[in-house]
Amino acid sequence: MAAQNLEEIISLCKRRGFIFQSGELYGGLQGVYDYGPLGVELKNNLKAAWWKANVYENDNIYGLDSSILAQKKIFFYSGHETTFCDQMVDCRKCKKRWRVDHLVDARCEHCGSQDLTEPKPFNMMFKTIVGPVEDQDSYAYLRPETAQGIFTNFKNIMDSLSPKLPFGVAQIGKAFRNEITPRNFIFRVREFEQMEIEFFVKPGEDEPWHQEWVERRLTWWKAQGLSEKRLTLSAQGPEELAHYAKATVDILYQFPHGFEELEGVANRTDYDLGSHTQGQAQVAIQANVAVNKDSVHKLTVQDPPGKHFIPYVIEPSAGLDRGVLAVLTEAFHEETLSDDRKRIVLKLKPHLAPIKAAIIPLKRNEPALVETAQTIKHSLQRLGLGRIAYEDTGNIGKSYRRHDEIGTPLCITIDYDTLCTTEENEKSGTVTIRERDSMAQKRIPVSELIEYIQRFYR
Ligand code: GAP
């Protein structure tokens, strides 16, 4: 069974070096987390799987890495300055501040009082000063979504690649939101990563493409190990839709705290390219630059030649940190073994595992065992599959338990039979491979190890 409560995941993440509270040394910064040595591997593997499935496997999807710091004009014309708000209330009794839609029975979560102020909008964008002078004009935003970097580079991509519709631009990167009430570990945080695609289509072809992307994204999440029964789709009602969307289908996952949004797939219409087309014309007018017909039609495509129009956009937007949490939730298992011992095992898909294999010499002080184990470790490391660990605790049982808990799919033990060369011993020159989920062990010749591992990770 997958993890039942968040506490067991948080505890594993800290104990084994996946995720830590940021600034813990000084009491911690709320809603901000650091990924430790294993967490960063898991997160990078999830990103790599997304990039491969979307960018490398689709000739019409191109990558981008745009800046985090963004001019305020971008978020004025995108509509975020006026509409990217949550409704907030203050508790008059204990002075705590809450996001109104998070409260149960309009009651303060801290003291239970119902003496709350009227809801008022709170803009979630972080501002920062750019340059040495601090005044009204010198601030910029930390982007609250990666998407705007794609829209503002639309013309650059058209000019440099001349792509034909339909085509997409994909980006993975940090986004920042000053959440009123961050909560549920890495589920709702103030600094997080998004994996977003803006997929440009002809108006009129947007609805079938919207459905297609919902299907594609659901299939991809399943390939990351999320089970069908813990995934569901939910179409947003008119009151939930973001200011830019005509329709949005959320992919919900059953996290330990309930079914919640993992990814949103929105039909953003021509809203953003339209707004930035208007926006840059306005800016040019204000700066007294002559605005000709061409410059107000910049964010368009021509199809057929001579016929300009603003394409519609389908946007699958996934939270990477929520993806990590979902994958950890699904993989977490506590099992009772036949001798009544318990084991915690992370049943991660092999391509996501932070460590691909652990090499364990039977004894840590036996030079011949150590040397052979190190040689095998280096030969597997050279395959470029990811991290291969060398374990020299000298305690096989302990090593297996540790690698079960961090999700290492294979443990390879080097013992005296590995070193043996006599033909009478049928185990001569073999290693033991132990498989994480079944705990099954088998011996294979060292000479076949590379091929075995390559096949396993193919
Ligand atoms: N560009 C569209 C967009 O940003 P969104 O629904 O606001 O849409 C997309 O965000 C995804 O980003 C969400 O489905 C979620 O996975 C993730 N996300 C949003 N806010 C988050 C937060 N405060 N902490 C962690 N992930 C978040």
Side-chain angles (χ1 to χ4, degrees):
M1 207 195 288
Q4 296 304 292
N5 66 65
L6 210 47
E7 293 314 314
E8 48 194 12
I9 295 181
I10 296 173
S11 158
L12 172 78
C13 283
K14 180 153 166 78
R15 194 169 65 245
R16 293 301 190 184
F18 281 88
I19 300 166
F20 311 117
Q21 171 76 62
S22 181
E24 203 176 13
L25 207 56
Y26 292 100
L29 181 58
Q30 222 202 342
V32 188
Y33 287 88
D34 296 337
Y35 284 75
L38 296 184
V40 68
E41 297 292 340
L42 172 58
K43 187 156 92 147
N44 283 344
N45 291 340
L46 197 55
K47 286 192 220 185
W50 185 91
W51 197 263
K52 177 170 173 282
N54 292 298
V55 181
Y56 296 154
E57 291 177 8
N58 291 288
D59 290 341
N60 63 346
I61 300 188
Y62 309 95
L64 182 77
D65 182 15
S66 68
S67 69
I68 288 170
L69 279 179
Q71 290 151 290
K72 57 180 194 255
K73 282 193 184 87
I74 293 176
F75 290 101
F76 173 75
Y77 287 108
S78 72
H80 284 74
E81 271 196 346
T82 41
T83 57
F84 197 62
C85 300
D86 277 335
Q87 295 294 317
M88 139 190 116
V89 289
D90 289 323
C91 171
R92 289 199 181 91
K93 192 163 166 216
C94 72
K95 311 290 177 222
K96 294 258 183 239
R97 185 161 271 189
W98 303 106
R99 201 173 124 172
V100 76
D101 60 336
H102 283 171
L103 295 181
V104 179
D105 295 337
R107 211 174 265 287
C108 170
E109 268 188 20
H110 182 66
C111 70
S113 167
Q114 286 187 309
D115 188 7
L116 307 174
T117 57
E118 281 302 305
K120 57 176 182 240
F122 171 78
N123 192 294
M124 291 196 288
M125 287 195 292
F126 280 102
K127 283 179 184 170
T128 191
I129 302 296
V130 175
V133 181
E134 206 170 311
D135 62 25
Q136 260 312 298
D137 295 322
S138 59
Y139 71 85
Y141 289 114
L142 301 188
R143 63 183 180 197
E145 60 169 6
T146 67
Q148 293 304 323
I150 299 180
F151 298 128
T152 52
N153 274 292
F154 181 81
K155 184 172 180 325
N156 290 329
I157 287 165
M158 291 305 294
D159 291 350
S160 54
L161 300 177
S162 310
K164 298 275 170 288
L165 292 178
F167 74 92
V169 180
Q171 167 156 240
I172 301 176
K174 291 260 182 179
F176 299 81
R177 295 182 190 180
N178 197 2
E179 294 282 351
I180 300 166
T181 42
R183 55 181 60 192
N184 294 318
F185 193 36
I186 52 170
F187 178 82
R188 186 176 306 286
V189 281
R190 291 181 167 136
E191 173 176 341
F192 55 100
E193 275 185 88
Q194 292 184 316
M195 305 186 289
E196 297 198 300
I197 300 169
E198 305 305 320
F199 195 75
F200 301 98
V201 301
K202 282 188 183 163
E205 295 180 2
D206 50 315
E207 289 180 11
W209 272 113
H210 191 199
Q211 276 186 6
E212 163 73 21
W213 272 105
V214 171
E215 284 307 314
R216 282 195 198 184
R217 298 301 306 138
L218 197 56
T219 304
W220 184 82
W221 281 115
K222 288 181 196 160
Q224 308 319 306
L226 305 190
S227 56
E228 187 140 12
K229 63 176 190 306
R230 296 179 76 92
L231 284 164
T232 187
L233 298 178
S234 166
Q236 289 188 4
E239 70 297 338
E240 287 174 277
L241 286 176
H243 60 279
Y244 49 71
K246 161 177 159 186
T248 297
V249 175
D250 288 335
I251 300 178
L252 309 185
Y253 178 72
Q254 189 181 13
F255 291 97
H257 61 282
F259 272 98
E260 288 248 34
E261 181 184 335
L262 173 63
E263 171 159 359
V265 186
N267 183 342
R268 286 181 86 131
T269 69
D270 56 359
Y271 178 88
D272 297 272
L273 292 182
S275 306
H276 290 305
T277 299
Q278 298 289 326
Q280 38 127 17
Q282 291 282 326
V283 170
I285 290 166
Q286 281 158 16
N288 273 332
V289 174
V291 179
N292 62 34
K293 193 165 160 284
D294 283 348
S295 64
V296 291
H297 282 118
K298 271 180 184 161
L299 307 184
T300 58
V301 292
Q302 287 189 62
D303 188 4
K307 184 174 178 278
H308 289 264
F309 62 91
I310 298 177
Y312 267 40
V313 177
I314 306 302
E315 177 198 62
S317 171
L320 178 59
D321 307 75
R322 288 188 188 181
V324 169
L325 185 57
V327 161
L328 285 171
T329 302
E330 188 84 38
F332 185 99
H333 286 74
E334 187 172 338
E335 295 178 349
T336 307
L337 304 177
S338 53
D339 59 1
D340 266 0
R341 271 185 309 119
K342 299 241 187 269
R343 77 158 182 158
I344 291 176
V345 53
L346 267 192
K347 296 186 174 178
L348 293 168
K349 287 269 183 189
H351 71 279
L352 296 180
I355 293 177
K356 300 303 175 197
I359 313 298
I360 314 169
L362 185 66
K363 290 194 174 155
R364 66 173 157 192
N365 298 325
E366 184 69 58
L369 287 176
V370 167
E371 196 188 324
T372 305
Q374 287 282 11
T375 306
I376 291 177
K377 182 219 142 61
H378 288 118
S379 65
L380 296 186
Q381 193 68 63
R382 279 195 292 274
L383 297 177
L385 298 166
R387 201 167 183 81
I388 307 291
Y390 178 77
E391 268 299 334
D392 70 349
T393 54
N395 180 329
I396 301 287
K398 244 190 184 168
S399 299
Y400 285 165
R401 271 198 299 285
R402 181 176 122 75
H403 281 282
D404 283 346
E405 253 198 350
I406 63 176
T408 308
L410 301 171
C411 283
I412 299 161
T413 304
I414 314 310
D415 59 18
Y416 292 107
D417 287 325
T418 317
L419 308 181
C420 185
T421 51
T422 54
E423 277 179 21
E424 302 81 74
N425 178 2
E426 59 179 26
K427 295 183 187 166
S428 280
T430 62
V431 292
T432 302
I433 296 192
R434 175 193 182 264
E435 203 271 329
R436 177 195 67 199
D437 296 353
S438 65
M439 295 189 291
Q441 298 189 15
K442 65 176 164 202
R443 295 199 75 104
I444 68 159
V446 174
S447 57
E448 291 174 17
L449 193 55
I450 287 191
E451 205 196 317
Y452 180 94
I453 301 283
Q454 279 177 322
R455 219 177 320 119
F456 185 87
Y457 281 103
R458 195 166 292 146

